[in-house]
Amino acid sequence: MSELIEIAGIEVPRGDWEATPSSIQSVLLSISARLSELEEKLNQNSQNSSKPPSTDELKPSVEIKRSRKKRQSGRGESSSRQVRRLEPIAACDWVHEIKL
């Protein structure tokens, strides 16, 4: 059994690596170095770099809880907001056209 060596995080038999042309070996090593740089950049956040906190991504495991207190008026109603409803044109007696 041949000895295994690690190239770009992958174990490869030494015989296979030595049989690979030197031009391909240099391409693989440069791609491996570039990949390491990109992974390092990807793992940066505001805690371990000079990036502002607003550029941090939210982690899926973090649950955002939003609670909104309902305003209660003194009349016992839960909300004093009035909702305007639009009626279809056919149900209207008259329509004002506004041109800007």
Side-chain angles (χ1 to χ4, degrees):
M1 188 151 125
S2 67
E3 180 186 346
L4 294 176
I5 58 173
E6 188 175 319
I7 306 294
I10 300 171
E11 290 185 345
V12 179
R14 182 177 293 279
D16 290 351
W17 179 251
E18 290 172 354
T20 304
S22 62
S23 59
I24 302 301
Q25 286 181 359
S26 64
V27 168
L28 278 173
L29 293 174
S30 67
I31 289 173
S32 172
R34 181 68 179 138
L35 179 62
S36 295
E37 287 177 26
L38 292 173
E39 286 175 338
E40 192 174 309
K41 277 186 177 181
L42 184 64
N43 292 328
Q44 288 184 350
N45 59 34
S46 63
Q47 299 294 319
N48 60 14
S49 70
S50 61
K51 291 173 61 174
S54 61
T55 60
D56 288 349
E57 293 185 24
L58 291 178
K59 295 180 181 177
S61 62
V62 175
E63 205 174 297
I64 299 175
K65 295 181 181 179
R66 296 181 183 172
S67 63
R68 182 179 290 179
K69 293 181 180 177
K70 291 184 179 179
R71 286 189 289 172
Q72 293 184 359
S73 62
R75 298 171 293 204
E77 297 176 6
S78 62
S79 175
S80 61
R81 181 173 177 225
Q82 294 180 352
V83 178
R84 295 180 65 191
R85 296 189 180 144
L86 298 177
E87 299 290 333
I89 292 178
C92 297
D93 294 333
W94 43 270
V95 176
H96 285 283
E97 287 189 30
I98 300 173
K99 295 181 182 178
L100 301 174

